[in-house]
Amino acid sequence: MLRLTEIKIPLHHQDENAELRTAVLTKLGVADADVRHITVFKRGIDARKKMAIQLTYTLDIDVAQEAALLARFSKDPHVRPTPDTQYKFVAEAPAELSTRPIVVGLGPCGLFAGLLLAQMGFKPIILERGKAVRERTKDTFGFWRGQELNPESNVQYGEGGAGTFSDGKLYSQVKDPKHYGRKVLTEFVSAGAPEEIMYVSKPHIGTYKLVGVVEKMRASIIALGGEIRFNSRVEQLHITDEQLEGVTLNNGDYLACQHLILAIGHSARDTFQMLYDAGVYVEAKPFSVGFRIEHEQSMIDSCRWGPSAGHPILGAADYKLVHHCQNGRTVYSFCMCPGGTVVAAASETGGVVTNGMSQYSRHERNANSAIVVGIHPEQDYPGHPLAGIDLQRKLEQAAFKLGGEDYRAPAQLIGDFLKGQSSAELGEVQPSYTPGIKLTDLAGLLPDYATAAIREAIPAFEQQIRGFAKADGLLTAVETRTSSPICIKRGADFQSVNIKGLFPAGEGAGYAGGILSAAIDGIKVAEALALDLLATHQA
């Protein structure tokens, strides 16, 4: 098979298959009969010329005289052999193995770590502090409708992890030479995700579809001999001579264990404290804070797609923005949700946290994104590995108070924020956040340097997206859970640098950011654990 890249056809075409075939024949200079089959591996969008948007493809071609073609195009980087992306298991559990590894957390990282271990025959025990995804969804939607927050069942905690209540984005910039991402997408499709996620350049699933996908993956783990315990929070690690020996759960159960994957999310603050108290080496890491910004999706579509806005292949447009400020800070867009909503993402009583979510259709009226400022432990929260948590909590509690202490979020029109005056009434952009917002003045909520940086960045972003700084766009506070505030350091063997048998993984440990990268990290760590467990068993 040959892999061809940068094959382009117009957005407005009559027959995709026919146009692609013509492009392939032209590129390779072969007869039609020589091309036996064409498979779309990836499809992207080139919108640099809005009046002539093109679709750009990576194709796998079954063609006659493959060796001769490779020789002829040896200096062309766009014609290469198709790489082998089939996943290959690194280990298989012996039938007599009685030891069972533990996975803590059932977000994307823990889900794929557990699935891989189960597929290799290791019959993992997976501990999830929250509820099963469908029960968790009821609790979360109930909170959004104005009911009480459940600190153990919300956007942050429960089966599926924080990514369940997001856009379900499945793309990442992590290097992936072993094609683990392909394994992730394949498993999602096997569990019911749309097949298009295998080839579109920015695949997403959406919350409602993710719920069913996660349930089917859980069923696969159980069918392979795995065990999943919900409402099971790890309260204590038992460590002897820097070797993990077991864990105690919140119900008092003790589980002996010398191989444990710690796949907690970025909001497991009580677990972070427990790990620190147990002597596990952790250190503070940078993260970002800011607001959610909302505009009408139609405006974003028009700016990105021009007269082609509304084309079904294009769908709802997204954006990615970065601005380096005069005060040395960097402001950037994060977790952009086209055609979505701003959601309440608190996991502690007395705090307001915002996040973004889209359904698969992305048909909601507004576009939203985090607009956040990078902050660093050395200058912004020095002195303690867990100081970033204290800063997050301080901002969330301040937002709770400013919003009226009933989980409404404080909000301000963009024009008023830039002028430094309080907002009194909404314009065309209607807020999507539930339980609701309270218009106010957001100045003073973030540190002064962050407020100044965002005020500088929004007009700069206007230069890239016309209307971005429009006066009646909306800012909703506060966004604090962009990434983990700590890193649970691990070595080249994927184990904690000072506790053998403990495998930190995913977002909470500081090694991922998003569904796909967390899932990939779960696979890597599961492989490392399996090989170490086998070596221990054989010794």
Side-chain angles (χ1 to χ4, degrees):
M1 296 279 282
L2 294 183
R3 173 156 292 179
L4 274 58
T5 57
E6 293 298 311
I7 299 296
K8 295 185 178 183
I9 66 173
L11 171 66
H12 300 282
H13 56 267
Q14 295 297 319
D15 185 324
E16 181 184 49
N17 292 333
E19 299 236 11
L20 286 176
R21 191 169 189 87
T22 297
V24 168
L25 297 177
T26 301
K27 173 68 177 179
L28 297 179
V30 297
D32 183 79
D34 291 334
V35 177
R36 293 185 284 263
H37 189 70
I38 299 173
T39 302
V40 176
F41 182 79
K42 193 68 67 178
R43 185 187 72 197
I45 299 167
D46 183 352
R48 288 174 294 181
K49 297 179 180 179
K50 295 183 178 61
M51 302 303 293
I53 294 176
Q54 293 183 301
L55 301 179
T56 178
Y57 292 80
T58 297
L59 304 173
D60 289 328
I61 314 298
D62 182 3
V63 61
Q65 301 178 354
E66 179 180 316
L69 288 169
L70 283 172
R72 184 171 14 129
F73 289 94
S74 61
K75 295 183 179 181
D76 188 338
H78 302 303
V79 181
R80 289 287 181 265
T82 298
D84 182 5
T85 61
Q86 186 72 28
Y87 181 77
K88 297 172 179 60
F89 294 101
V90 301
E92 182 179 351
E96 72 277 9
L97 184 69
S98 59
T99 301
R100 300 180 70 181
I102 290 177
V103 178
V104 179
L106 198 51
C109 181
L111 184 64
F112 273 88
L115 178 64
L116 199 72
L117 289 171
Q119 289 174 337
M120 290 188 289
F122 287 95
K123 300 180 180 179
I125 299 172
I126 303 177
L127 307 174
E128 168 55 53
R129 68 183 296 167
K131 296 182 180 180
V133 65
R134 207 161 291 271
E135 297 175 65
R136 173 197 181 201
T137 301
K138 292 179 182 178
D139 291 338
T140 301
F141 283 18
F143 171 55
W144 293 347
R145 296 186 185 103
Q147 299 172 12
E148 187 175 344
L149 170 69
N150 184 338
E152 294 294 337
S153 183
N154 47 61
V155 167
Q156 309 296 347
Y157 298 148
E159 183 182 23
T164 303
F165 299 96
S166 70
D167 191 46
K169 289 180 280 289
L170 299 175
Y171 45 94
S172 171
Q173 295 181 338
V174 299
K175 295 181 179 179
D176 188 20
K178 294 186 177 181
H179 308 289
Y180 290 134
R182 197 71 177 170
K183 166 71 168 172
V184 173
L185 297 180
T186 299
E187 293 294 350
F188 275 137
V189 170
S190 296
E195 289 191 14
E196 70 176 32
I197 69 171
M198 298 297 296
Y199 64 85
V200 295
S201 61
K202 294 182 178 180
H204 74 285
I205 298 179
T207 291
Y208 286 137
K209 289 184 180 292
L210 270 170
V211 169
V213 169
V214 168
E215 287 182 322
K216 288 183 180 179
M217 293 181 72
R218 181 218 307 165
S220 295
I221 293 171
I222 294 172
L224 291 167
E227 177 184 347
I228 298 176
R229 300 188 186 186
F230 295 107
N231 302 302
S232 297
R233 184 176 65 252
V234 175
E235 292 276 287
Q236 183 180 356
L237 299 182
H238 297 272
I239 301 166
T240 302
D241 297 329
E242 298 185 341
Q243 167 67 56
L244 179 69
E245 297 290 349
V247 296
T248 296
L249 308 184
N250 55 325
N251 64 359
D253 285 355
Y254 172 80
L255 300 177
C257 174
Q258 293 192 336
H259 289 84
L260 181 146
I261 294 176
L262 192 66
I264 54 178
H266 58 40
S267 295
R269 294 168 172 173
D270 48 3
T271 304
F272 294 158
Q273 183 69 56
M274 181 272 291
L275 294 169
Y276 178 79
D277 292 342
V280 177
Y281 181 77
V282 302
E283 60 185 32
K285 62 173 280 294
F287 60 102
S288 301
V289 297
F291 308 128
R292 276 274 152 184
I293 193 166
E294 285 191 273
H295 302 92
E296 291 180 317
Q297 181 63 47
S298 58
M299 183 197 81
I300 306 298
D301 291 344
S302 179
C303 290
R304 289 297 312 278
W305 306 137
S308 294
H311 193 287
I313 289 180
L314 297 177
D318 63 2
Y319 56 77
K320 186 176 182 180
L321 304 168
V322 180
H323 178 68
H324 301 289
C325 301
Q326 294 181 4
N327 66 2
R329 302 287 174 167
T330 297
V331 179
Y332 62 99
S333 62
F334 173 79
C335 186
M336 194 275 160
C337 297
T341 56
V342 180
V343 301
S347 59
E348 294 181 343
T349 57
V352 164
V353 183
T354 63
N355 196 8
M357 183 180 83
S358 295
Q359 300 299 346
Y360 175 71
S361 64
R362 291 178 167 174
H363 280 169
E364 298 295 333
R365 179 178 179 180
N366 290 353
N368 78 81
S369 173
I371 298 296
V372 292
V373 183
I375 58 176
H376 306 274
E378 295 82 4
Q379 63 187 111
D380 300 319
Y381 43 101
H384 194 282
L386 305 184
I389 296 173
D390 296 334
L391 176 58
Q392 287 178 326
R393 187 174 283 130
K394 176 183 176 182
L395 296 176
E396 293 162 14
Q397 291 174 348
F400 181 76
K401 184 175 182 180
L402 192 60
E405 301 185 327
D406 56 4
Y407 293 103
R408 286 180 297 161
Q412 187 175 16
L413 272 63
I414 292 173
D416 293 333
F417 175 75
L418 296 177
K419 294 176 182 177
Q421 64 188 34
S422 182
S423 294
E425 59 181 359
L426 294 167
E428 290 185 8
V429 178
Q430 296 297 304
S432 60
Y433 179 93
T434 56
I437 65 160
K438 179 182 178 181
L439 289 174
T440 183
D441 186 351
L442 297 179
L445 178 57
L446 297 179
D448 291 344
Y449 61 79
T451 300
I454 294 175
R455 281 181 173 152
E456 178 184 325
I458 289 175
F461 293 155
E462 172 79 19
Q463 304 305 308
Q464 299 179 60
I465 299 180
R466 187 176 180 181
F468 198 87
K470 66 182 291 185
D472 66 348
L474 195 65
L475 295 169
T476 307
V478 63
E479 176 93 19
T480 54
R481 311 286 182 93
T482 52
S483 66
S484 179
I486 70 163
C487 180
I488 308 171
K489 296 293 290 184
R490 69 190 187 195
D493 61 357
F494 292 91
Q495 299 186 58
S496 161
V497 293
N498 71 325
I499 305 297
K500 185 171 175 54
L502 183 67
F503 292 76
E507 276 206 60
Y511 293 99
I515 294 173
L516 185 61
S517 64
I520 289 172
D521 200 56
I523 293 174
K524 291 178 180 179
V525 175
E527 288 182 341
L529 182 149
L531 293 173
D532 189 77
L533 198 160
L534 284 182
T536 302
H537 173 72
Q538 294 166 359

